[in-house]
PDB file of all heavy atoms in Angstrom:
ATOM      1  N   GLU A  34       4.749 -16.726   4.271  1.00 92.00           N
ATOM      2  CA  GLU A  34       5.313 -17.603   3.279  1.00 92.00           C
ATOM      3  C   GLU A  34       5.244 -16.975   1.896  1.00 92.00           C
ATOM      4  O   GLU A  34       6.283 -17.057   1.118  1.00 92.00           O
ATOM      5  CB  GLU A  34       4.531 -19.005   3.226  1.00 92.00           C
ATOM      6  CG  GLU A  34       5.023 -19.907   2.218  1.00 92.00           C
ATOM      7  CD  GLU A  34       4.092 -21.187   2.073  1.00 92.00           C
ATOM      8  OE1 GLU A  34       3.344 -21.458   3.010  1.00 92.00           O
ATOM      9  OE2 GLU A  34       4.186 -21.811   1.008  1.00 92.00           O
ATOM     10  N   THR A  35       4.153 -16.336   1.517  1.00 92.00           N
ATOM     11  CA  THR A  35       4.120 -15.739   0.195  1.00 92.00           C
ATOM     12  C   THR A  35       5.014 -14.609   0.074  1.00 92.00           C
ATOM     13  O   THR A  35       5.670 -14.419  -0.991  1.00 92.00           O
ATOM     14  CB  THR A  35       2.702 -15.364  -0.157  1.00 92.00           C
ATOM     15  OG1 THR A  35       1.771 -16.414   0.158  1.00 92.00           O
ATOM     16  CG2 THR A  35       2.377 -14.945  -1.541  1.00 92.00           C
ATOM     17  N   THR A  36       5.098 -13.801   1.124  1.00 92.00           N
ATOM     18  CA  THR A  36       6.072 -12.618   1.183  1.00 92.00           C
ATOM     19  C   THR A  36       7.532 -13.090   0.993  1.00 92.00           C
ATOM     20  O   THR A  36       8.231 -12.591   0.223  1.00 92.00           O
ATOM     21  CB  THR A  36       5.827 -11.851   2.491  1.00 92.00           C
ATOM     22  OG1 THR A  36       4.528 -11.363   2.577  1.00 92.00           O
ATOM     23  CG2 THR A  36       6.767 -10.654   2.501  1.00 92.00           C
ATOM     24  N   SER A  37       7.826 -14.230   1.637  1.00 93.00           N
ATOM     25  CA  SER A  37       9.144 -14.794   1.544  1.00 93.00           C
ATOM     26  C   SER A  37       9.425 -15.226   0.113  1.00 93.00           C
ATOM     27  O   SER A  37      10.525 -14.948  -0.373  1.00 93.00           O
ATOM     28  CB  SER A  37       9.244 -15.959   2.538  1.00 93.00           C
ATOM     29  OG  SER A  37      10.578 -16.497   2.416  1.00 93.00           O
ATOM     30  N   ARG A  38       8.460 -15.843  -0.517  1.00 93.00           N
ATOM     31  CA  ARG A  38       8.675 -16.263  -1.971  1.00 93.00           C
ATOM     32  C   ARG A  38       8.867 -15.052  -2.863  1.00 93.00           C
ATOM     33  O   ARG A  38       9.662 -15.091  -3.736  1.00 93.00           O
ATOM     34  CB  ARG A  38       7.440 -17.107  -2.421  1.00 93.00           C
ATOM     35  CG  ARG A  38       7.482 -18.558  -2.096  1.00 93.00           C
ATOM     36  CD  ARG A  38       6.442 -19.373  -2.817  1.00 93.00           C
ATOM     37  NE  ARG A  38       5.033 -18.960  -2.504  1.00 93.00           N
ATOM     38  CZ  ARG A  38       4.217 -18.492  -3.421  1.00 93.00           C
ATOM     39  NH1 ARG A  38       4.601 -18.492  -4.667  1.00 93.00           N
ATOM     40  NH2 ARG A  38       3.018 -18.196  -3.083  1.00 93.00           N
ATOM     41  N   LEU A  39       8.119 -13.944  -2.570  1.00 94.00           N
ATOM     42  CA  LEU A  39       8.244 -12.734  -3.318  1.00 94.00           C
ATOM     43  C   LEU A  39       9.619 -12.127  -3.167  1.00 94.00           C
ATOM     44  O   LEU A  39      10.356 -11.698  -4.119  1.00 94.00           O
ATOM     45  CB  LEU A  39       7.139 -11.745  -2.936  1.00 94.00           C
ATOM     46  CG  LEU A  39       7.269 -10.338  -3.640  1.00 94.00           C
ATOM     47  CD1 LEU A  39       7.200 -10.503  -5.198  1.00 94.00           C
ATOM     48  CD2 LEU A  39       6.223  -9.390  -3.145  1.00 94.00           C
ATOM     49  N   ARG A  40      10.034 -12.138  -1.917  1.00 94.00           N
ATOM     50  CA  ARG A  40      11.393 -11.585  -1.596  1.00 94.00           C
ATOM     51  C   ARG A  40      12.466 -12.419  -2.425  1.00 94.00           C
ATOM     52  O   ARG A  40      13.452 -11.902  -2.878  1.00 94.00           O
ATOM     53  CB  ARG A  40      11.650 -11.557  -0.117  1.00 94.00           C
ATOM     54  CG  ARG A  40      10.810 -10.420   0.544  1.00 94.00           C
ATOM     55  CD  ARG A  40      11.293 -10.275   2.026  1.00 94.00           C
ATOM     56  NE  ARG A  40      10.466  -9.152   2.620  1.00 94.00           N
ATOM     57  CZ  ARG A  40      10.662  -7.907   2.509  1.00 94.00           C
ATOM     58  NH1 ARG A  40      11.676  -7.443   1.778  1.00 94.00           N
ATOM     59  NH2 ARG A  40       9.938  -7.019   3.162  1.00 94.00           N
ATOM     60  N   ARG A  41      12.330 -13.760  -2.358  1.00 95.00           N
ATOM     61  CA  ARG A  41      13.346 -14.604  -3.085  1.00 95.00           C
ATOM     62  C   ARG A  41      13.276 -14.329  -4.583  1.00 95.00           C
ATOM     63  O   ARG A  41      14.319 -14.303  -5.261  1.00 95.00           O
ATOM     64  CB  ARG A  41      12.979 -16.111  -2.749  1.00 95.00           C
ATOM     65  CG  ARG A  41      13.776 -16.722  -1.656  1.00 95.00           C
ATOM     66  CD  ARG A  41      13.748 -18.194  -1.584  1.00 95.00           C
ATOM     67  NE  ARG A  41      12.389 -18.751  -1.647  1.00 95.00           N
ATOM     68  CZ  ARG A  41      11.556 -18.855  -0.550  1.00 95.00           C
ATOM     69  NH1 ARG A  41      11.965 -18.519   0.575  1.00 95.00           N
ATOM     70  NH2 ARG A  41      10.386 -19.389  -0.709  1.00 95.00           N
ATOM     71  N   ALA A  42      12.040 -14.163  -5.106  1.00 94.00           N
ATOM     72  CA  ALA A  42      11.907 -13.850  -6.613  1.00 94.00           C
ATOM     73  C   ALA A  42      12.673 -12.557  -6.899  1.00 94.00           C
ATOM     74  O   ALA A  42      13.269 -12.469  -7.955  1.00 94.00           O
ATOM     75  CB  ALA A  42      10.421 -13.891  -6.972  1.00 94.00           C
ATOM     76  N   CYS A  43      12.422 -11.539  -6.096  1.00 94.00           N
ATOM     77  CA  CYS A  43      13.023 -10.236  -6.274  1.00 94.00           C
ATOM     78  C   CYS A  43      14.571 -10.393  -6.163  1.00 94.00           C
ATOM     79  O   CYS A  43      15.299  -9.832  -7.041  1.00 94.00           O
ATOM     80  CB  CYS A  43      12.574  -9.268  -5.266  1.00 94.00           C
ATOM     81  SG  CYS A  43      10.883  -8.667  -5.517  1.00 94.00           S
ATOM     82  N   PHE A  44      15.075 -11.150  -5.167  1.00 95.00           N
ATOM     83  CA  PHE A  44      16.519 -11.305  -5.018  1.00 95.00           C
ATOM     84  C   PHE A  44      17.138 -12.009  -6.290  1.00 95.00           C
ATOM     85  O   PHE A  44      18.102 -11.512  -6.805  1.00 95.00           O
ATOM     86  CB  PHE A  44      16.832 -12.163  -3.745  1.00 95.00           C
ATOM     87  CG  PHE A  44      18.221 -12.458  -3.542  1.00 95.00           C
ATOM     88  CD1 PHE A  44      19.113 -11.396  -2.974  1.00 95.00           C
ATOM     89  CD2 PHE A  44      18.800 -13.580  -3.879  1.00 95.00           C
ATOM     90  CE1 PHE A  44      20.428 -11.619  -2.815  1.00 95.00           C
ATOM     91  CE2 PHE A  44      20.191 -13.818  -3.677  1.00 95.00           C
ATOM     92  CZ  PHE A  44      21.003 -12.816  -3.205  1.00 95.00           C
ATOM     93  N   LYS A  45      16.398 -13.061  -6.799  1.00 95.00           N
ATOM     94  CA  LYS A  45      16.934 -13.761  -8.012  1.00 95.00           C
ATOM     95  C   LYS A  45      16.971 -12.874  -9.211  1.00 95.00           C
ATOM     96  O   LYS A  45      17.835 -12.972 -10.073  1.00 95.00           O
ATOM     97  CB  LYS A  45      16.043 -14.942  -8.286  1.00 95.00           C
ATOM     98  CG  LYS A  45      16.367 -16.112  -7.327  1.00 95.00           C
ATOM     99  CD  LYS A  45      15.460 -17.291  -7.670  1.00 95.00           C
ATOM    100  CE  LYS A  45      15.605 -18.410  -6.640  1.00 95.00           C
ATOM    101  NZ  LYS A  45      14.640 -19.542  -6.862  1.00 95.00           N
ATOM    102  N   ALA A  46      16.058 -11.944  -9.297  1.00 94.00           N
ATOM    103  CA  ALA A  46      15.951 -11.028 -10.457  1.00 94.00           C
ATOM    104  C   ALA A  46      16.799  -9.692 -10.195  1.00 94.00           C
ATOM    105  O   ALA A  46      16.681  -8.771 -11.042  1.00 94.00           O
ATOM    106  CB  ALA A  46      14.491 -10.689 -10.756  1.00 94.00           C
ATOM    107  N   ASN A  47      17.496  -9.712  -9.132  1.00 94.00           N
ATOM    108  CA  ASN A  47      18.325  -8.454  -8.794  1.00 94.00           C
ATOM    109  C   ASN A  47      17.480  -7.233  -8.597  1.00 94.00           C
ATOM    110  O   ASN A  47      17.796  -6.106  -9.067  1.00 94.00           O
ATOM    111  CB  ASN A  47      19.389  -8.230  -9.790  1.00 94.00           C
ATOM    112  CG  ASN A  47      20.586  -7.417  -9.231  1.00 94.00           C
ATOM    113  OD1 ASN A  47      20.739  -7.433  -8.020  1.00 94.00           O
ATOM    114  ND2 ASN A  47      21.254  -6.753 -10.064  1.00 94.00           N
ATOM    115  N   VAL A  48      16.301  -7.433  -7.881  1.00 94.00           N
ATOM    116  CA  VAL A  48      15.392  -6.350  -7.586  1.00 94.00           C
ATOM    117  C   VAL A  48      15.368  -6.109  -6.072  1.00 94.00           C
ATOM    118  O   VAL A  48      15.193  -7.120  -5.333  1.00 94.00           O
ATOM    119  CB  VAL A  48      13.898  -6.744  -8.093  1.00 94.00           C
ATOM    120  CG1 VAL A  48      12.976  -5.580  -7.659  1.00 94.00           C
ATOM    121  CG2 VAL A  48      13.940  -6.811  -9.589  1.00 94.00           C
ATOM    122  N   LYS A  49      15.586  -4.880  -5.631  1.00 95.00           N
ATOM    123  CA  LYS A  49      15.490  -4.625  -4.175  1.00 95.00           C
ATOM    124  C   LYS A  49      14.127  -4.242  -3.850  1.00 95.00           C
ATOM    125  O   LYS A  49      13.475  -3.432  -4.478  1.00 95.00           O
ATOM    126  CB  LYS A  49      16.498  -3.404  -3.867  1.00 95.00           C
ATOM    127  CG  LYS A  49      16.532  -3.140  -2.438  1.00 95.00           C
ATOM    128  CD  LYS A  49      17.495  -1.935  -2.154  1.00 95.00           C
ATOM    129  CE  LYS A  49      17.461  -1.657  -0.687  1.00 95.00           C
ATOM    130  NZ  LYS A  49      18.206  -0.545  -0.340  1.00 95.00           N
ATOM    131  N   LEU A  50      13.536  -4.978  -2.813  1.00 94.00           N
ATOM    132  CA  LEU A  50      12.179  -4.785  -2.358  1.00 94.00           C
ATOM    133  C   LEU A  50      12.160  -4.369  -0.956  1.00 94.00           C
ATOM    134  O   LEU A  50      12.866  -4.906  -0.131  1.00 94.00           O
ATOM    135  CB  LEU A  50      11.409  -6.135  -2.529  1.00 94.00           C
ATOM    136  CG  LEU A  50      10.025  -6.134  -1.891  1.00 94.00           C
ATOM    137  CD1 LEU A  50       9.085  -5.279  -2.706  1.00 94.00           C
ATOM    138  CD2 LEU A  50       9.462  -7.603  -1.871  1.00 94.00           C
ATOM    139  N   ALA A  51      11.418  -3.285  -0.649  1.00 92.00           N
ATOM    140  CA  ALA A  51      11.399  -2.783   0.760  1.00 92.00           C
ATOM    141  C   ALA A  51      10.005  -2.139   0.910  1.00 92.00           C
ATOM    142  O   ALA A  51       9.443  -1.435   0.067  1.00 92.00           O
ATOM    143  CB  ALA A  51      12.400  -1.725   0.986  1.00 92.00           C
ATOM    144  N   VAL A  52       9.340  -2.450   2.142  1.00 91.00           N
ATOM    145  CA  VAL A  52       8.143  -1.729   2.499  1.00 91.00           C
ATOM    146  C   VAL A  52       8.455  -0.383   3.043  1.00 91.00           C
ATOM    147  O   VAL A  52       9.496  -0.219   3.817  1.00 91.00           O
ATOM    148  CB  VAL A  52       7.441  -2.577   3.616  1.00 91.00           C
ATOM    149  CG1 VAL A  52       6.132  -1.834   3.985  1.00 91.00           C
ATOM    150  CG2 VAL A  52       7.044  -3.964   3.042  1.00 91.00           C
ATOM    151  N   VAL A  53       7.691   0.663   2.599  1.00 91.00           N
ATOM    152  CA  VAL A  53       8.063   2.028   3.057  1.00 91.00           C
ATOM    153  C   VAL A  53       6.862   2.715   3.580  1.00 91.00           C
ATOM    154  O   VAL A  53       5.750   2.362   3.311  1.00 91.00           O
ATOM    155  CB  VAL A  53       8.611   2.856   1.842  1.00 91.00           C
ATOM    156  CG1 VAL A  53       9.984   2.353   1.408  1.00 91.00           C
ATOM    157  CG2 VAL A  53       7.671   2.842   0.671  1.00 91.00           C
ATOM    158  N   LYS A  54       7.076   3.718   4.400  1.00 92.00           N
ATOM    159  CA  LYS A  54       5.875   4.568   4.906  1.00 92.00           C
ATOM    160  C   LYS A  54       5.709   5.586   3.802  1.00 92.00           C
ATOM    161  O   LYS A  54       6.634   6.244   3.316  1.00 92.00           O
ATOM    162  CB  LYS A  54       6.345   5.229   6.227  1.00 92.00           C
ATOM    163  CG  LYS A  54       6.049   4.451   7.483  1.00 92.00           C
ATOM    164  CD  LYS A  54       6.350   5.230   8.725  1.00 92.00           C
ATOM    165  CE  LYS A  54       5.178   6.129   9.144  1.00 92.00           C
ATOM    166  NZ  LYS A  54       4.209   5.577  10.006  1.00 92.00           N
ATOM    167  N   ASN A  55       4.415   5.726   3.475  1.00 92.00           N
ATOM    168  CA  ASN A  55       4.102   6.684   2.394  1.00 92.00           C
ATOM    169  C   ASN A  55       4.541   8.084   2.638  1.00 92.00           C
ATOM    170  O   ASN A  55       5.010   8.714   1.766  1.00 92.00           O
ATOM    171  CB  ASN A  55       2.475   6.650   2.207  1.00 92.00           C
ATOM    172  CG  ASN A  55       2.069   5.362   1.605  1.00 92.00           C
ATOM    173  OD1 ASN A  55       2.770   4.619   0.910  1.00 92.00           O
ATOM    174  ND2 ASN A  55       0.860   4.967   1.975  1.00 92.00           N
ATOM    175  N   THR A  56       4.310   8.572   3.861  1.00 92.00           N
ATOM    176  CA  THR A  56       4.671   9.993   4.236  1.00 92.00           C
ATOM    177  C   THR A  56       6.199  10.188   4.060  1.00 92.00           C
ATOM    178  O   THR A  56       6.578  11.205   3.450  1.00 92.00           O
ATOM    179  CB  THR A  56       4.267  10.328   5.584  1.00 92.00           C
ATOM    180  OG1 THR A  56       4.789   9.404   6.538  1.00 92.00           O
ATOM    181  CG2 THR A  56       2.743  10.318   5.784  1.00 92.00           C
ATOM    182  N   LEU A  57       6.992   9.219   4.446  1.00 93.00           N
ATOM    183  CA  LEU A  57       8.437   9.377   4.397  1.00 93.00           C
ATOM    184  C   LEU A  57       8.910   9.238   2.931  1.00 93.00           C
ATOM    185  O   LEU A  57       9.777  10.005   2.451  1.00 93.00           O
ATOM    186  CB  LEU A  57       9.116   8.354   5.241  1.00 93.00           C
ATOM    187  CG  LEU A  57       8.790   8.349   6.752  1.00 93.00           C
ATOM    188  CD1 LEU A  57       9.605   7.258   7.468  1.00 93.00           C
ATOM    189  CD2 LEU A  57       9.129   9.699   7.293  1.00 93.00           C
ATOM    190  N   LEU A  58       8.242   8.276   2.154  1.00 93.00           N
ATOM    191  CA  LEU A  58       8.705   8.268   0.654  1.00 93.00           C
ATOM    192  C   LEU A  58       8.208   9.463  -0.002  1.00 93.00           C
ATOM    193  O   LEU A  58       8.957  10.004  -0.948  1.00 93.00           O
ATOM    194  CB  LEU A  58       8.007   6.992   0.057  1.00 93.00           C
ATOM    195  CG  LEU A  58       8.290   6.813  -1.420  1.00 93.00           C
ATOM    196  CD1 LEU A  58       9.833   6.720  -1.630  1.00 93.00           C
ATOM    197  CD2 LEU A  58       7.609   5.515  -1.881  1.00 93.00           C
ATOM    198  N   ALA A  59       7.031  10.085   0.266  1.00 93.00           N
ATOM    199  CA  ALA A  59       6.546  11.293  -0.357  1.00 93.00           C
ATOM    200  C   ALA A  59       7.635  12.457  -0.134  1.00 93.00           C
ATOM    201  O   ALA A  59       7.938  13.191  -0.964  1.00 93.00           O
ATOM    202  CB  ALA A  59       5.224  11.692   0.118  1.00 93.00           C
ATOM    203  N   LYS A  60       8.105  12.563   1.134  1.00 93.00           N
ATOM    204  CA  LYS A  60       9.131  13.549   1.406  1.00 93.00           C
ATOM    205  C   LYS A  60      10.383  13.261   0.718  1.00 93.00           C
ATOM    206  O   LYS A  60      11.028  14.265   0.216  1.00 93.00           O
ATOM    207  CB  LYS A  60       9.318  13.670   2.932  1.00 93.00           C
ATOM    208  CG  LYS A  60       8.149  14.234   3.602  1.00 93.00           C
ATOM    209  CD  LYS A  60       8.304  14.434   5.093  1.00 93.00           C
ATOM    210  CE  LYS A  60       7.054  15.096   5.689  1.00 93.00           C
ATOM    211  NZ  LYS A  60       7.129  15.322   7.084  1.00 93.00           N
TER     212      LYS A  60
END
Side-chain angles (χ1 to χ4, degrees):
E34 178 188 339
T35 310
T36 302
S37 180
R38 277 192 300 119
L39 177 61
R40 289 188 181 281
R41 267 195 306 278
C43 286
F44 179 78
K45 285 179 184 174
N47 203 23
V48 174
K49 183 178 177 187
L50 172 70
V52 177
V53 293
K54 274 186 83 91
N55 291 332
T56 54
L57 301 180
L58 181 55
K60 288 183 180 182

